[in-house]
Amino acid sequence: MTRGLRIVAVVVVLLIAGCQAPVIGPDATETDLPDSTQTDADVETTEPVPTDETTPTSTDVAETETEKTTTEQWETTTTTATETTESTASNGTDGTNSIAVEGGNLTLSADQVFADVKDVMAADVTPPRQVTVFENESEMTATLGGGATGVSRFNRILGLQPGEGLNGTEFERMENGLTFNTGFIYIVQSPDGDPASTEWVLAHEFGHYVNLRLDRVTTLQSNLGRTTDESYVVRAVREGATVLTTDAYLARHGNRTEPTAPLYDQLLAAVSPGEIDRYGFSQYAFGHRYVADRIDDPADLDSVFENPPQTSEQVIHGYAPDTEPPAELNVTVNASGAWRSGGSDRLGEAFVRYALENGVAPDRAAEAAAGWGVDRLHYLRPTTGGDSSYAWTFRWDDAANATEFERTMRDSLKERGDRTENAWSLGNATATLHSPTDRTTVLLLGNESLVDNTAVTSPDSGQIRIELPKADD
């Protein structure tokens, strides 16, 4: 649940699962997104492979198409051990404590909770090696590393940046945790030390651990690509499955009767619209609803991991994996002496929705994004170096949905920037909106000269041609 940790690693070493943590945009996984470090902070140095199917999968990174940054994958070393203690045998354990407990004390048996989670999941895996207990997130950050991270240029232009998050809300200092597939689990206890709160976080992290050990996460990732949209699906399924497991555990074995699923709707509602954390928290809320619609029992989770949804649209609306697949969208980007195409990414309905919230009300943003058929974000690189610009292309379910999105996007841009003839000035970037057909839209963002002088046409129905300007005047 790592709300406070936004840790980024480029070299993949370990699989982890973090809970309650927001993810930031193309593609942000808090280390699972949308906050990852940006190579594009001011001047981009990392170039993606220019293909139509590769994209930045960092969970927060919209700019780094070759360096994949996700919260599920970490380069780290085991933390320095503090005093190791045995978990107290309680709740009917036989006194055998195989899971070491470090840091603070647990007032319940980690072994018993793990045994009961395994029972709920009908799983046979070895127990984790160690649970480390922290009193607060500062301790966890100091031990594991991490801290504030950069926001991509693309997200900054859209206005999708971290805000206050949960600071100042009733959830500011709530329990959370982090799990490694190597068997190390880290939790932050509730400030009031409530054993029931510690219990559900521990059960949640054990649920992640079991899924990692059963290779369900690997299976899930192998059934999806690496776009931002598909990375959203990965985290939504992972967290949704674990919330379902946690609540099944609480119902059968826990000392707490109320489920945790409603908590994630509360967390989502607690973050101000337009802040990037809403994108991350939505993966828990929508992910749980999706998984719970597919199965009733955590023992049946294999069916979801092996046949997952393919888009965030399917997650949000509860569609089956073969229902409402991405529409066909053919885009040609013609390079010039000044500009070239630098790769592309599919961001998905969820990203569109939370990006629009920065300028219009959440209900209106959701309605405008709901007509999503497919999208593709194209990175436009200056041949002489410098900041990227962007061509965000869309195909909508029908003409009415295209019109609705364009009207909403115009109002969002108007709210955030100054209108200048056919463009909007957004600080150090410019935006224009094009409608090459009645079902397609192109949003150009970035360098003023490029945005003003790029030609967008549709030579045939369903096709978009983007002619980049020959010089950056």
Side-chain angles (χ1 to χ4, degrees), residues 193-210:
D194 179 7
S197 296
T198 302
E199 181 183 27
W200 79 259
V201 171
L202 201 54
H204 187 108
E205 297 309 317
F206 285 152
H208 275 306
Y209 172 78
V210 170

Side-chain angles (χ1 to χ4, degrees), residues 332-336 339-341 465-469:
T332 301
V333 179
N334 292 328
S336 67
W339 294 89
R340 65 180 179 82
S341 176
R465 179 179 296 163
I466 299 173
E467 295 279 353
L468 302 180

Side-chain angles (χ1 to χ4, degrees), residues 134-153:
F134 295 105
E135 296 300 321
N136 53 61
E137 286 186 3
S138 297
E139 283 187 7
M140 182 184 279
T141 302
T143 303
L144 299 179
T149 60
V151 176
S152 74
R153 171 171 161 77

Side-chain angles (χ1 to χ4, degrees), residues 48-55 342-345 376:
V49 179
T51 94
D52 286 336
E53 297 305 324
T54 357
T55 74
S344 67
D345 185 14
R376 203 77 200 175

Side-chain angles (χ1 to χ4, degrees), residues 386-400:
D387 290 341
S388 287
S389 293
Y390 312 92
W392 196 3
T393 60
F394 304 85
R395 184 172 181 181
W396 303 97
D397 289 338
D398 54 38

Side-chain angles (χ1 to χ4, degrees), residues 110-418:
D111 293 274
Q112 184 63 59
V113 174
F114 179 69
D116 290 340
V117 169
K118 284 201 309 176
D119 173 67
V120 166
M121 301 180 78
D124 183 15
V125 300
T126 58
R129 296 166 61 182
Q130 174 180 299
V131 173
T132 300
V133 182
F134 295 105
E135 296 300 321
N136 53 61
E137 286 186 3
S138 297
E139 283 187 7
M140 182 184 279
T141 302
T143 303
L144 299 179
T149 60
V151 176
S152 74
R153 171 171 161 77
F154 178 70
N155 282 1
R156 291 199 309 271
I157 292 173
L158 289 178
L160 268 176
Q161 300 193 54
E164 289 301 313
L166 297 176
N167 293 331
T169 74
E170 61 181 303
F171 307 108
E172 183 173 5
R173 294 185 58 210
M174 67 177 294
E175 57 276 12
N176 59 78
L178 191 67
T179 294
F180 290 77
N181 68 341
T182 51
F184 290 89
I185 293 173
Y186 303 85
I187 66 169
V188 175
Q189 296 193 98
S190 173
D192 60 9
D194 179 7
S197 296
T198 302
E199 181 183 27
W200 79 259
V201 171
L202 201 54
H204 187 108
E205 297 309 317
F206 285 152
H208 275 306
Y209 172 78
V210 170
N211 285 332
L212 287 167
R213 297 301 296 172
L214 292 176
D215 289 328
R216 283 174 172 162
V217 176
T218 301
T219 298
L220 175 64
Q221 292 171 328
S222 70
N223 285 310
L224 291 158
R226 292 180 63 85
T227 67
T228 290
D229 192 28
E230 289 159 301
S231 294
Y232 182 100
V233 172
V234 168
R235 189 139 191 250
V237 169
R238 291 182 62 178
E239 296 299 345
T242 307
V243 173
L244 182 76
T245 298
T246 303
D247 288 352
Y249 161 86
L250 293 173
R252 300 180 202 177
H253 304 286
N255 295 314
R256 161 180 173 154
T257 55
E258 64 271 20
T260 64
L263 169 65
Y264 297 101
D265 290 313
Q266 296 170 30
L267 292 173
L268 182 59
V271 178
S272 298
E275 291 188 17
I276 207 161
D277 287 358
R278 281 177 58 79
Y279 180 84
F281 285 128
S282 73
Q283 293 167 311
Y284 292 82
F286 287 124
H288 171 260
R289 289 172 207 162
Y290 184 88
V291 174
D293 282 345
R294 288 272 302 267
I295 63 170
D296 297 320
D297 192 328
D300 299 325
L301 281 171
D302 278 338
S303 63
V304 182
F305 283 84
E306 292 172 0
N307 186 28
Q310 299 297 302
T311 66
S312 60
E313 177 187 43
Q314 292 174 346
V315 173
I316 290 170
H317 300 289
Y319 297 150
D322 57 353
T323 301
E324 295 286 336
E328 185 176 354
L329 178 63
N330 298 314
V331 180
T332 301
V333 179
N334 292 328
S336 67
W339 294 89
R340 65 180 179 82
S341 176
S344 67
D345 185 14
R346 191 181 83 213
L347 305 189
E349 179 179 332
F351 190 84
V352 175
R353 176 177 185 157
Y354 292 103
L356 284 171
E357 279 191 3
N358 197 51
V360 300
D363 288 348
R364 187 177 176 196
E367 184 178 354
W372 183 89
V374 74
D375 75 277
R376 203 77 200 175
L377 176 67
H378 294 263
Y379 298 84
L380 310 176
R381 313 289 194 186
T383 57
T384 56
D387 290 341
S388 287
S389 293
Y390 312 92
W392 196 3
T393 60
F394 304 85
R395 184 172 181 181
W396 303 97
D397 289 338
D398 54 38
N401 281 298
T403 299
E404 176 66 22
F405 168 78
E406 291 164 8
R407 183 185 300 115
T408 304
M409 177 57 77
R410 287 189 181 95
D411 288 345
S412 179
L413 292 171
K414 179 182 178 181
E415 181 69 21
R416 297 186 45 247
D418 298 321

